[in-house]
């Protein structure tokens, strides 16, 4: 897939991996529609890439706002042909130490952003993408979708759900609109604001974004980035060991 001249929507496009995806896509000749909830960051991003980046401030953890935005996308950006669902949040939760009435709002937002926004944007764009010669939907998941860690149960569950949704959506596209590529990008621990102070051996955001873009260009259905390739192999050889390693990650 040649990205030059394409319009690509990137959620979470103004920070972390999303900002790197935006920068590198622009470098390959794409026009990027960056979506985020921080107007200041979005303005800074657009200023850094004049004429090459359009921005929309949307709280994707708000299902109604997401649906309204998604339903108008094809009209706002009729040339849009690639969707990268990158935005996500991870909440560390100890269900035995914390009051569920306190944690519940954060967990609802986590589910809405990580899962519901992905399904809403993907399905809303299908009628539009179906009319194009070629298109792609890229859903960013995680090695924690393969083997969860104890400290972020809802994050792991949402990423596993997105992984399953991605495969099922791919089946439907293969049967009805085979020109729409549906890609699962499985990421390792990446060095971003979200992971600050967590873990070691992180992959840089620039290298991560580069690997995702390379996978899109090669039209791979599943992208295992960095150490997730080792995790995938380990799950085949010794699932119990893989889960034990990730458990306290």
């Amino acid at each position: 897939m040649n990205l030059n001249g394409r319009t690509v929507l990137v959620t979470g496009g103004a920070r972390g991996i999303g900002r790197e995806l935006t920068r590198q896509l622009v470098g390959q000749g794409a026009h990027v529609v960056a979506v985020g909830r921080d107007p200041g960051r979005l303005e800074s991003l657009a200023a850094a890439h004049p004429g090459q980046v359009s921005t929309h401030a949307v709280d994707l953890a708000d299902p109604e706002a997401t649906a309204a935005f998604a339903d108008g996308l094809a009209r706002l950006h009729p040339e849009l042909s690639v969707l990268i669902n990158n935005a996500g949040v991870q909440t560390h939760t100890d269900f035995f130490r914390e009051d569920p009435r306190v944690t519940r709002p954060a967990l609802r937002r986590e589910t809405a952003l990580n899962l519901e926004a992905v399904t809403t944007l993907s399905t809303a764009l299908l009628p539009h993408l179906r009319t194009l010669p070629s298109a792609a939907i890229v859903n960013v998941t995680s090695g924690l979708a393969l083997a969860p860690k104890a400290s972020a149960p809802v994050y792991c569950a949402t990423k596993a759900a997105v992984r399953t949704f991605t495969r099922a959506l791919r089946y439907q596209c293969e049967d009805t609109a085979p020109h729409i590529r549906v890609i699962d990008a499985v990421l390792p621990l990446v060095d971003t604001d979200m992971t600050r102070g967590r873990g070691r051996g992180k992959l840089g955001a620039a290298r991560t974004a580069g690997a995702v873009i390379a996978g899109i260009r090669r039209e791979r259905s599943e992208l295992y980035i960095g150490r997730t390739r080792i995790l995938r192999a380990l799950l085949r050889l010794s699932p119990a060991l893989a889960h034990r390693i990730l458990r306290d990650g």
Side-chain angles (χ1 to χ4, degrees):
M1 177 176 284
N2 184 4
L3 295 169
N4 183 39
R6 287 188 181 270
T7 296
V8 183
L9 188 150
V10 180
T11 67
R15 61 191 306 168
I17 300 166
R19 188 176 183 91
E20 276 299 325
L21 285 167
T22 298
R23 183 182 68 81
Q24 294 183 36
L25 285 165
V26 166
Q28 295 197 22
H31 181 87
V32 176
V33 179
V35 182
R37 64 174 184 167
D38 187 330
R41 286 180 180 269
L42 291 169
E43 289 174 10
S44 174
L45 183 69
H49 305 285
Q52 297 169 301
V53 174
S54 303
T55 63
H56 294 277
V58 183
D59 183 0
L60 296 176
D62 179 339
E64 292 186 2
T66 303
F69 172 66
D71 289 341
L73 262 176
R75 177 180 53 81
L76 290 170
H77 300 284
E79 68 286 358
L80 178 64
S81 63
V82 179
L83 166 65
I84 304 179
N85 283 307
N86 163 75
V89 64
Q90 183 179 129
T91 304
H92 280 201
T93 311
D94 186 331
F95 293 132
F96 289 93
R97 292 186 178 181
E98 299 175 56
D99 185 338
R101 292 167 295 184
V102 174
T103 59
R104 193 172 296 138
L107 299 183
R108 283 176 174 163
R109 286 185 60 84
E110 188 174 21
T111 303
L113 176 59
N114 294 358
L115 175 58
E116 189 170 350
V118 172
T119 62
T120 298
L121 287 167
S122 299
T123 56
L125 278 174
L126 280 177
H128 166 68
L129 299 180
R130 188 177 184 180
T131 67
L132 304 178
S134 65
I137 296 172
V138 184
N139 293 331
V140 173
T141 63
S142 165
L144 294 173
L146 309 178
K149 65 178 183 179
S151 60
V154 173
Y155 177 84
C156 299
T158 56
K159 289 300 183 181
V162 170
R163 183 167 164 78
T164 300
F165 167 75
T166 303
R167 180 177 289 272
L169 178 60
R170 185 183 307 128
Y171 291 160
Q172 292 196 18
C173 287
E174 288 170 350
D175 292 343
T176 307
H179 66 285
I180 303 175
R181 304 291 299 185
V182 183
I183 300 168
D184 180 4
V186 187
L187 303 192
L189 185 64
V190 180
D191 189 10
T192 65
D193 290 346
M194 188 178 78
T195 66
R196 184 174 293 131
R198 304 177 187 175
R200 295 175 295 176
K202 300 174 187 177
L203 191 64
R207 288 183 60 191
T208 303
V212 171
I213 292 170
I216 297 171
R217 290 177 60 116
R218 292 194 299 267
E219 297 188 335
R220 298 280 180 84
S221 294
E222 292 187 328
L223 313 177
Y224 291 90
I225 310 297
R227 292 183 177 181
T228 63
R229 294 191 292 269
I230 299 173
L231 175 61
R232 183 190 187 196
L234 187 57
L235 281 164
R236 290 175 176 173
L237 296 171
S238 178
L241 177 58
H243 283 280
R244 188 160 62 248
I245 291 172
L246 269 292
R247 181 184 188 277
D248 298 316

